[in-house]
Amino acid sequence: MTAHGRLSTSLPVVSGDKVSRPRAGESLVDPPAGEAVDRPPSGEPRVEVVDQHVVEFVSDSGEGAQSAGQMFGTVSAKMGNGVWTLEIIPAEIEPPPRTKASCSGNRVRIGKGPVTNMGETADVVVAFNEQVLYSRIDDGALRAGSLIFLDNKWAADPDPGIRESYARALEDFGSRGYLVQEVPMHEQCLRIVPDPRRGKNMWAVGLLCAVYQLDVDRVRFEIEAKFGRKGRKVVDANRALARAGYEWALENVGVRYRVPAEPVDETMVVMNGNQAMALGIMAAGIEVCSMYPITPATSVSHFLARSFAAAGGFVHQAEDEIAAIGFALGASYAGKTPVTLTSGPGLALKTEFIGLAVMAELPLVIVVVQRGGPSTGLPTRVEQGDLLAALHASPGDAPKIVMAPTSIGECFHFMITARQLAETFRTPVMVLSDANLATGQQPFERPEVRQEWLAPPVDQSRWQAAVEPYDWDPETGISQRPVPGQRDGQYVLTGLTHDSASRVAYDAATNQRTATLRSRKLATLRRSLKPPEVYGDPEGDLLVVCWGSTRGAVEEAIDGLRQDGENVSSLCLRFLSPLEPGLEEIFRRFRQVMTVELNYSDDPEDPHVDEGGRRYSQLAFLLRAATLVDVDCWSRVPGIPLSPSRIKEVLRQRLKGE
Amino acid sequence: MYGLKQDWIPEPQARQFVLEDYESGVPRWCSGCGDFAVLQSLRKLARDEQLLPEKTVVVSGIGCSSRLPHYVKTYGFHGLHGRPLPVASGIRARRPDLHVFVVTGDGDCCAIGTGHWIHAVHYNMKMTVMLLDNSIYGLTKKQTSPTTGKGYSSNTHPDGAMLSALNPLTVTLGITNASFVAQTVDWNPAHLYATLLEAHRHPGLAFVRIIQRCPHFTPDAHEHFQRDPSNVLLLTHPDGIPADDVVLRVFKNRDELDPTDRAAALEHAAREDVLPIGLFLRNPEAERYDLCSAVGLGMSAEKKLAAAQAAVDRFLI
Ligand SMILES: Cc1ncc(C[n+]2csc(CCOP(=O)(O)OP(=O)(O)O)c2C)c(N)n1
Ligand code: SF4
Ligand SMILES: [Mg+2]
């Protein structure tokens, strides 16, 4: 079975405790499509076995569907399933309830093997009200056949307006072909807690645990881990809620799915990209994180705020992004390579200091968790729009290292590499993540933190007086830096053009030479990079180049097309500055090369767009300039990740020459 | 010495520093510029306190005044316009062993860097902040600054500044955690030196506004204070800036101000009929952010490793 696990059970549609009328478009009796079906003892629902499924929890903001999804994902991962989660985040803290703007939740895609992206439309959704579902409909998250468990509390709401819109929505959902099962979530929760708005979410987890045959003991454990801090009463109440949801589903839901787990030998961890980055920061031995809150980067610092001190680290919440990077550079100058975290608008503010870091050669890790731009743009939504800003985010020539992780595991490991590169090359290193990686959870092999990952203690030995503070190696541009406290190393760091003694020098020769040496560091690093690996055959009709979080969806699309006999491959870049070597040779072996990205580009057929004036997507722009290959692009700015099927469709058209 | 490594041997004698040990380069200020006096005072302070040059960092922004670090043979950070305070805070955060001095101008601190000024005072991390206030943008050639007096002509306001000058003292005194606020003048080396010394010894952020002459662009701006010292009001107090005979002989116009009395300090700081110099506020007990930011300093690699691994393991499947 492929992407769409079809509902193949005769599903008694239950509303409250009574069986309700099937609705228009409910093709409930869909014969099993030939896949393996475990038959439980008679009387119990048949279990449909699927390779993967997409599950969503959606509620009004504040009702906890996000944590329900996280818990469902964690439990699935712990049972050995591949998992990818996508957070559905409202832009406001308390948007009006029962509106599209209020939609908050989590999508969990679970698979037999590793899962690298959010997949296609949802197979199963638990919705706390009908209105938030409209936001998911707008995002194209549902399809005819999606099974929706919907809280039926609204059918009996004292407000006739609400009753009416609920009834209308049910009608509408039916006509869209969704399979709706009304469930008495609110009523059931009310038996356990006085305010079901705080508690429905665990009931919902219990419900889907029954549907997906997850281990309830693990849920009990997760509840303890999540609520333990709040005390016994809270833990017990949440356990009771999950148990109630589970038992209700056993009695009243006639559908069961199982996504078989393929146990892996390695010990695994599961977390989201921002948590992985925070852990990577700790494992890199970084001691200072200097930041100003901005979505979707902030949660890295939330994690650190609780855990960093145990590893000897400190989070500085500065008065603004300029101060955040200034503080970081102060710490760097004093010998502690720090990290500063931000997103697009904050990157804009940091640019002047980034130039100083390049000019004065101060090591620094800059994490940019991209969101939609320009300006405040789409604060909670994904985009890959800051690549060129990262590369050129500073007036003048400001060469710096730019890397982009493509998975949650890389979010962790790149932090260690970034710190090491920053120090070796005495330069800022930017790590570009995005809102999709930031909140997406995925299991990866448990890293064994090693001593050599940690930053060495600050060198306070005596500096050799004869060695200048910028004793550039003419071959590599690399130099060692004195750190305050090192006797005889005294120098005055300056953002003005300076010679190897850090003396201000305005002459043409010095300016040319020092600019060259700074650039040479990138050339040196590039020499040590391996050419990227091609995913698929090393030659063919079409090569898709991508970067960052789109890799998973691109590779899944490539898998699909290759299964269909198409001659396509893909390639993912992790180093954007310097660019990984060997691209021209790789590109030459394909008839067409194009990028797929989550940022803006003109379509060639847009009005007034001619070839010379067409604005390409950001990686395409870069590759065209770097390789002189006619790299084409397809990119969009939907604010949500690209799905494999969408990419497949685009590539298929491209292969047909459309 | 047999059996002992060379570098084990303690220094034969303690290091002794003289003024030249803190001198570097030839200052490029106009002759008569008040910045010279500040440089001289700072070097003298370093010598008198025998500050280890390698343990001393002078941080500045951009401006004529901000060139100062280049002329002191310690570590220095000549960074960005308006941003020396975040940099200095970052240096201080994890290095309690360093002496941190900040040199900033009236444009640097009170215009482009205003946000950082407020917050640095609030953080109250141990450092000496010297605001070299010449009431003009010097380096960029005579533009109005926030501290330019109303009516004073500049290249951006040839008909005179339109608003009254912003008062950096009353602003600073109003900030929560302000712990040391003083004012002095570049043309009285004894008072300048005494003020910087008190500032350096203060356990927290010491904010010193130094009224600085810019003979190149504003030769007339401070004349009446110099010509007639009775236009200056010397603030005295047993817990204030110690005034020696030289200082007392010049400044006859005096008033006692208790540096724990913030309301009185604000009143004095706001005076426009005279230029008050001396100590306005001293509170060694104020909260200090650098004591918070230094947590975990010097933690062993083993402990860091264990903490990182434990944090990872919270996500074990
Ligand atoms: C971001 C930025 N904006 C503007 C400038 C230009 N600039 C340099 S110094 C200065 C003003 C200097 O005035 P002040 O801080 O009072 O120092 P002074 O020269 O008077 O000592 C300005 C506007 C700059 N270097 N950087
Ligand atoms: S312009 Fe003014 S402040 Fe600048 S060096 Fe000359 S006298 Fe000093
Ligand atoms: Mg000035």
Side-chain angles (χ1 to χ4, degrees):
Chain A
M1 177 162 249
T2 54
H4 303 280
R6 279 191 297 146
L7 184 67
S8 57
T9 307
S10 60
L11 174 70
V13 178
V14 179
S15 176
D17 294 326
K18 55 186 195 300
V19 176
S20 78
R21 69 265 168 222
R23 284 168 205 292
E26 282 178 344
S27 50
L28 293 184
V29 193
D30 207 0
E35 60 275 353
V37 170
D38 295 349
R39 278 200 181 275
S42 61
E44 284 192 25
R46 196 168 41 205
V47 177
E48 185 185 345
V49 179
V50 291
D51 280 352
Q52 63 89 48
H53 243 209
V54 174
V55 175
E56 290 194 359
F57 295 81
V58 286
S59 68
D60 274 336
S61 172
E63 288 184 320
Q66 261 172 26
S67 45
Q70 274 161 15
M71 191 169 290
F72 186 79
T74 305
V75 170
S76 302
K78 290 191 171 182
M79 291 184 68
N81 284 116
V83 170
W84 182 274
T85 70
L86 173 81
E87 272 185 23
I88 301 154
I89 312 170
E92 302 153 44
I93 300 296
E94 285 188 18
R98 295 180 40 80
T99 60
K100 283 186 199 174
S102 182
C103 182
S104 166
N106 223 317
R107 160 178 281 218
V108 188
R109 186 183 183 200
I110 42 182
K112 206 162 97 179
V115 181
T116 61
N117 65 82
M118 65 150 195
E120 311 297 338
T121 46
D123 297 291
V124 173
V125 181
V126 185
F128 293 23
N129 70 59
E130 80 288 354
Q131 293 304 319
V132 292
L133 271 177
Y134 280 104
S135 159
R136 302 305 296 146
I137 292 171
D138 285 354
D139 278 347
L142 304 180
R143 65 162 192 280
S146 293
L147 169 60
I148 295 162
F149 294 104
L150 180 61
D151 191 351
N152 69 357
K153 125 188 230 288
W154 315 104
D157 199 274
D159 180 342
I162 290 180
R163 290 202 300 272
E164 196 184 312
S165 57
Y166 180 74
R168 246 200 331 265
L170 278 187
E171 212 56 57
D172 179 39
F173 294 159
S175 67
R176 290 169 184 267
Y178 308 156
L179 314 177
V180 180
Q181 176 169 9
E182 296 176 83
V183 292
M185 267 169 101
H186 186 87
E187 178 199 310
Q188 290 278 315
C189 293
L190 208 50
R191 296 179 186 172
I192 300 165
V193 286
D195 177 12
R197 269 181 58 86
R198 311 239 167 278
K200 269 188 199 179
N201 59 342
M202 288 303 121
W203 196 88
V205 171
L207 176 92
L208 286 201
C209 274
V211 172
Y212 284 92
Q213 326 231 311
L214 298 189
D215 184 349
V216 247
D217 277 344
R218 288 188 190 269
V219 175
R220 290 170 59 81
F221 175 84
E222 291 304 316
I223 288 176
E224 175 79 50
K226 183 170 166 58
F227 298 104
R229 246 186 306 169
K230 297 188 178 163
R232 198 71 260 149
K233 259 178 80 177
V234 179
V235 171
D236 289 344
N238 279 287
R239 282 182 170 170
L241 286 159
R243 165 65 56 187
Y246 184 77
E247 280 168 0
W248 189 88
L250 289 183
E251 286 290 309
N252 298 292
V253 178
V255 58
R256 298 287 182 274
Y257 296 110
R258 197 156 62 78
V259 186
E262 278 176 2
V264 281
D265 292 339
E266 300 85 32
T267 318
M268 306 286 276
V269 284
V270 62
M271 64 187 77
N272 69 35
N274 276 4
Q275 290 166 331
M277 283 191 148
L279 290 169
I281 288 166
M282 291 169 71
I286 289 174
E287 280 182 23
V288 175
C289 166
S290 179
M291 49 71 70
Y292 186 79
I294 185 167
T295 305
T298 320
S299 66
V300 178
S301 62
H302 290 179
F303 183 90
L304 288 175
R306 290 192 185 280
S307 308
F308 212 14
F314 179 70
V315 179
H316 173 57
Q317 180 181 331
E319 59 267 27
D320 58 39
E321 280 89 350
I322 299 175
I325 184 172
F327 187 100
L329 289 179
S332 170
Y333 179 72
K336 312 272 185 180
T337 300
V339 62
T340 185
L341 315 162
T342 197
S343 188
L347 172 61
L349 288 181
K350 288 178 196 290
T351 53
E352 193 188 9
F353 259 127
I354 291 173
L356 176 69
V358 170
M359 183 59 136
E361 307 195 41
L362 282 170
L364 168 69
V365 178
I366 306 166
V367 169
V368 180
V369 186
Q370 300 165 97
R371 61 191 224 179
S375 190
T376 318
L378 301 171
T380 58
R381 296 187 155 223
V382 67
E383 200 172 297
Q384 299 179 307
D386 299 343
L387 174 58
L388 294 180
L391 285 165
H392 304 295
S394 202
D397 184 55
K400 65 190 85 71
I401 297 171
V402 179
M403 309 160 69
T406 71
S407 66
I408 306 304
E410 285 179 4
C411 285
F412 175 88
H413 289 283
F414 276 28
M415 300 314 295
I416 295 141
T417 313
R419 183 195 61 74
Q420 288 168 343
L421 288 175
E423 284 169 13
T424 305
F425 290 90
R426 204 176 166 178
T427 182
V429 176
M430 265 200 215
V431 183
L432 292 182
S433 171
D434 65 34
N436 187 19
L437 289 170
T439 57
Q441 281 184 298
Q442 187 187 38
F444 63 98
E445 195 182 331
R446 168 191 187 251
E448 191 68 52
V449 184
R450 296 198 221 124
Q451 178 124 9
E452 66 262 29
W453 290 355
L454 298 180
V458 179
D459 187 358
Q460 293 287 276
S461 66
R462 194 163 174 175
W463 186 262
Q464 276 184 289
V467 178
E468 294 184 307
Y470 295 93
D471 186 27
W472 293 296
D473 178 323
E475 270 295 305
T476 62
I478 293 173
S479 57
Q480 297 295 312
R481 67 190 185 119
V483 166
Q486 285 194 285
R487 185 173 164 187
D488 295 337
Q490 292 95 292
Y491 75 108
V492 178
L493 175 144
T494 178
L496 291 163
T497 299
H498 50 271
D499 63 14
S500 51
S502 200
R503 274 183 309 250
V504 176
Y506 299 125
D507 63 286
T510 303
N511 200 45
Q512 182 68 43
R513 174 162 177 270
T514 54
T516 306
L517 285 166
R518 288 191 298 272
S519 184
R520 191 153 299 163
K521 293 191 287 185
L522 288 196
T524 303
L525 171 58
R526 183 171 140 105
R527 294 270 307 207
S528 72
L529 298 178
K530 284 188 275 190
E533 273 175 37
V534 175
Y535 185 80
D537 286 343
E539 56 190 29
D541 294 332
L542 175 62
L543 177 72
V544 179
V545 190
C546 63
W547 65 285
S549 70
T550 44
R551 176 170 71 100
V554 167
E555 290 182 354
E556 194 168 319
I558 296 292
D559 286 341
L561 287 168
R562 292 182 67 83
Q563 267 167 27
D564 298 347
E566 301 285 5
N567 233 332
V568 293
S569 301
S570 69
L571 180 158
C572 185
L573 290 172
R574 278 135 175 118
F575 277 89
L576 287 318
S577 170
L579 269 178
E580 291 164 41
L583 295 179
E584 301 87 327
E585 259 129 87
I586 296 170
F587 291 0
R588 225 178 289 130
R589 295 193 225 111
F590 290 86
R591 279 205 307 117
Q592 292 183 70
V593 181
M594 69 183 288
T595 69
V596 168
E597 298 175 68
L598 266 176
N599 53 36
Y600 181 78
S601 61
D602 289 335
D603 281 342
E605 56 277 6
D606 285 347
H608 317 303
V609 170
D610 56 33
E611 185 44 39
R614 178 183 174 200
R615 297 178 61 240
Y616 281 82
S617 62
Q618 302 198 5
L619 180 61
F621 178 91
L622 199 64
L623 295 177
R624 291 171 69 85
T627 64
L628 292 183
V629 173
D630 187 9
V631 178
D632 197 358
C633 65
W634 180 83
S635 70
R636 285 294 180 269
V637 284
I640 52 176
L642 298 171
S643 72
S645 66
R646 184 78 200 277
I647 298 172
K648 240 166 94 172
E649 186 188 313
V650 169
L651 300 186
R652 191 164 274 140
Q653 278 174 7
R654 210 48 73 103
L655 285 162
K656 278 197 243 150
E658 282 168 20
Chain B
M1 222 192 296
Y2 181 73
L4 280 175
K5 278 199 204 153
Q6 199 65 33
D7 58 5
W8 180 85
I9 303 170
E11 301 231 4
Q13 64 219 97
R15 292 156 73 195
Q16 271 295 327
F17 302 106
V18 295
L19 270 184
E20 290 80 63
D21 289 318
Y22 302 100
E23 284 173 14
S24 174
V26 182
R28 305 262 186 88
W29 291 308
C30 311
S31 60
C33 175
D35 293 344
F36 282 105
V38 180
L39 173 62
Q40 212 41 44
S41 258
L42 183 61
R43 285 173 175 167
K44 193 159 162 293
L45 182 154
R47 192 264 326 262
D48 292 350
E49 296 287 286
Q50 289 289 297
L51 303 184
L52 290 175
E54 69 270 22
K55 292 275 194 187
T56 306
V57 188
V58 186
V59 184
S60 67
I62 297 288
C64 294
S65 39
S66 286
R67 296 196 144 244
L68 192 141
H70 288 281
Y71 313 132
V72 195
K73 209 194 272 170
T74 62
Y75 281 91
F77 193 118
H78 180 208
L80 297 183
H81 188 35
R83 320 293 173 199
L85 287 166
V87 170
S89 305
I91 292 172
R92 162 59 60 202
R94 303 292 284 180
R95 293 296 302 270
D97 58 319
L98 300 177
H99 309 289
V100 180
F101 295 89
V102 176
V103 183
T104 179
D106 43 312
D108 207 58
C109 177
C110 309
I112 189 168
T114 309
H116 310 314
W117 164 31
I118 309 293
H119 292 283
V121 172
H122 184 210
Y123 298 149
N124 192 35
M125 301 170 95
K126 181 168 168 37
M127 62 181 71
T128 305
V129 179
M130 294 167 277
L131 166 58
L132 276 60
D133 189 350
N134 55 4
S135 303
I136 201 78
Y137 286 10
L139 190 69
T140 45
K141 300 189 168 52
K142 203 178 184 183
Q143 294 84 22
T144 308
S145 107
T147 63
T148 304
K150 184 169 182 171
Y152 199 89
S153 166
S154 77
N155 284 323
T156 39
H157 299 99
D159 297 330
M162 291 179 269
L163 300 175
S164 306
L166 178 133
N167 184 332
L169 291 177
T170 53
V171 171
T172 309
L173 285 167
I175 301 169
T176 307
N177 282 341
S179 68
F180 185 107
V181 181
Q183 177 154 276
T184 182
V185 293
D186 77 53
W187 58 87
N188 191 300
H191 192 263
L192 172 61
Y193 176 82
T195 309
L196 292 187
L197 190 61
E198 289 299 310
H200 168 66
R201 290 176 175 173
H202 172 70
L205 185 143
F207 181 85
V208 182
R209 181 188 185 206
I210 304 168
I211 305 296
Q212 178 231 317
R213 291 163 303 164
C214 170
H216 194 87
F217 290 124
T218 61
D220 48 344
H222 304 101
E223 240 182 354
H224 62 298
F225 299 129
Q226 275 189 278
R227 217 181 26 223
D228 182 1
S230 73
N231 287 324
V232 175
L233 177 69
L234 181 71
L235 303 175
T236 59
H237 191 272
D239 195 31
I241 306 295
D244 63 9
D245 288 347
V246 189
V247 172
L248 292 173
R249 214 174 306 133
V250 180
F251 302 113
K252 298 259 163 45
N253 190 7
R254 301 175 205 152
D255 209 344
E256 190 166 281
L257 176 66
D258 175 358
T260 62
D261 184 347
R262 208 189 262 237
L266 268 165
E267 212 170 283
H268 277 86
R271 281 183 73 162
E272 286 174 1
D273 53 331
V274 287
L275 176 72
I277 63 170
L279 187 60
F280 291 84
L281 182 70
R282 189 203 297 262
N283 176 15
E285 310 298 328
E287 297 169 329
R288 275 175 60 186
Y289 186 59
D290 47 345
L291 303 183
C292 313
S293 67
V295 291
L297 258 186
M299 182 179 283
S300 70
E302 289 70 31
K303 249 185 121 178
K304 286 184 181 179
L305 209 60
Q309 193 62 55
V312 169
D313 286 348
R314 278 169 40 203
F315 295 90
L316 271 178
I317 290 180

